[in-house]
Amino acid sequence: MAENTIFTDVKVAVIGGSGLYALEGLQVLGEVNPLTPWGHPSDKIVISQTPHGTKVAFLARHGRGHYLNPSEVPARANIAALKHLGVEVILAFSAVGSLREEIAPRDFVIPSQVIDRTKGIRPSTFFEKGVVAHAMFADPFDTSLAALIADVAKTACPGVKFHENKTLVCMEGPQFSTRAESHMYRSWGCDIINMSVLPESKLAREAEIAYQMVCMSTDYDCWREGEEAVNVEAVIANLGQNSANAKNLLSQLIQRVEVALEQKSLKTVNELKGSMKFSGITDPAKRDGEACKKLAYILPGYF
Ligand SMILES: CSC[C@H]1O[C@H](OP(=O)(O)O)[C@H](O)[C@@H]1O
Ligand SMILES: Nc1ncnc2[nH]cnc12
């Protein structure tokens, strides 16, 4: 497999979470393992091509074999590496717990909002040490991508129930929640829970990449009476089917995303271009040279 090929025109990326460690049915062009200013990504990034010629980058969030815990995922290196490949759209997959009766295991959920319950131990910005910027994050995902995914799902995954417009709470982990926490998240209006959407989605925003997470329910966490509290065995029991459903979804979705990119119909792809230039607040005379050099890897010519 080609390892040294330089790719700069890979517009679409898929980040696979628990249970989704590879794509299928695509022609593999090569693998890359770039050393970004923030280190190496979670694993080698596999570059494939659809029958229509769309290049797709696939990255296993926890590494193939799942050796990185959620707090250890090198999210900055992951997003920086994808941006350097040319990525404009990330489709991120995640195994989640359900906080709602109507969201059953193996259902898919497209979140529109996020609540942060990570503990501040994950590096969560590219802008530090001499270049300060504040990205907008009121709407963490891309509503046009969300709509596209829901539309494709109707034909690609007819047997899978889809829930849209839901709120995802991201906890630190790696231990699962207590019952009191699970009830608290429900009282906050949260619908699903994972350990992965942050800082990944924030960093994608800073790198001006449109980002939508597709959540696949595996369990009812630990709030539901009469249901055993979540454990890894229960999660794993649903990962196989969820991963098969994700692959079916992707078999049609990638091509639709390519068309949408050509038609410039993806909301945040258009809105994000150039946005970070105007989010920077540091006086150019006061910007740190090293910090600027690192930022040039993802946003060349900005700082
Ligand atoms: C294996 S259960 C907890 C684990 O699963 C989810 O991972 P991902 O989002 O990468 O699919 C969750 O966020 C936790 O990291
Ligand atoms: N109950 C849960 N809590 C946090 N992350 C999860 N991923 C899958 N199920 C989960």
Side-chain angles (χ1 to χ4, degrees), residues 185-204:
Y185 299 141
R186 279 166 51 77
S187 77
W188 287 357
C190 304
D191 301 299
I192 44 176
I193 181 163
N194 77 358
M195 306 176 190
S196 304
V197 71
L198 297 171
E200 194 172 272
S201 52
K202 287 186 173 173
L203 294 164

Side-chain angles (χ1 to χ4, degrees), residues 15-21 61-62 66 68-71 73 93-97 122 170-174 176 193-197 200 213-214 216 218-219 230-232 235-236 239:
I15 298 181
S18 302
L20 187 61
Y21 304 111
R61 181 181 291 120
H62 305 277
H66 208 122
L68 296 166
N69 84 25
S71 316
V73 170
F93 286 78
S94 172
V96 302
R122 306 177 184 189
C170 184
M171 61 176 291
E172 185 66 51
F176 291 114
I193 181 163
N194 77 358
M195 306 176 190
S196 304
V197 71
E200 194 172 272
M213 185 163 260
V214 180
M216 305 177 289
T218 52
D219 55 85
V230 58
N231 56 47
V232 165
V235 171
I236 288 176
L239 287 182

Side-chain angles (χ1 to χ4, degrees), residues 67-255:
Y67 45 77
L68 296 166
N69 84 25
S71 316
E72 292 170 335
V73 170
R76 290 194 295 191
N78 289 352
I79 298 298
L82 295 177
K83 175 71 184 199
H84 206 67
L85 288 168
V87 167
E88 295 185 2
V89 171
I90 293 176
L91 304 165
F93 286 78
S94 172
V96 302
S98 166
L99 300 170
R100 298 289 157 202
E101 188 68 43
E102 64 276 16
I103 301 175
R106 302 190 179 188
D107 285 2
F108 275 37
V109 186
I110 313 286
S112 56
Q113 279 298 323
V114 168
I115 290 182
D116 189 357
R117 277 275 296 166
T118 62
K119 302 290 184 193
I121 62 173
R122 306 177 184 189
S124 61
T125 181
F126 291 114
F127 294 90
E128 59 176 6
K129 296 182 182 149
V131 180
V132 180
H134 301 282
M136 289 175 73
F137 203 56
D139 295 301
F141 302 110
D142 184 302
T143 49
S144 54
L145 264 179
L148 188 63
I149 293 165
D151 188 48
V152 172
K154 282 183 211 147
T155 49
C157 314
V160 182
K161 192 165 178 197
F162 262 73
H163 307 261
E164 295 175 64
N165 217 9
K166 298 296 176 193
T167 297
L168 169 60
V169 57
C170 184
M171 61 176 291
E172 185 66 51
Q175 303 84 356
F176 291 114
S177 306
T178 64
R179 291 186 202 280
E181 287 165 339
S182 198
H183 286 294
M184 178 179 73
Y185 299 141
R186 279 166 51 77
S187 77
W188 287 357
C190 304
D191 301 299
I192 44 176
I193 181 163
N194 77 358
M195 306 176 190
S196 304
V197 71
L198 297 171
E200 194 172 272
S201 52
K202 287 186 173 173
L203 294 164
R205 180 57 57 88
E206 287 188 346
E208 298 185 351
I209 303 175
Y211 179 99
Q212 181 63 50
M213 185 163 260
V214 180
C215 297
M216 305 177 289
S217 167
T218 52
D219 55 85
Y220 276 111
D221 202 39
C222 58
W223 59 271
R224 198 169 180 240
E225 288 200 15
E227 177 96 8
E228 202 192 343
V230 58
N231 56 47
V232 165
E233 208 183 342
V235 171
I236 288 176
N238 290 316
L239 287 182
Q241 186 58 54
N242 282 350
S243 161
N245 292 337
K247 286 173 185 168
N248 285 342
L249 180 71
L250 283 166
S251 68
Q252 296 186 23
L253 183 59
I254 291 166
Q255 178 60 21

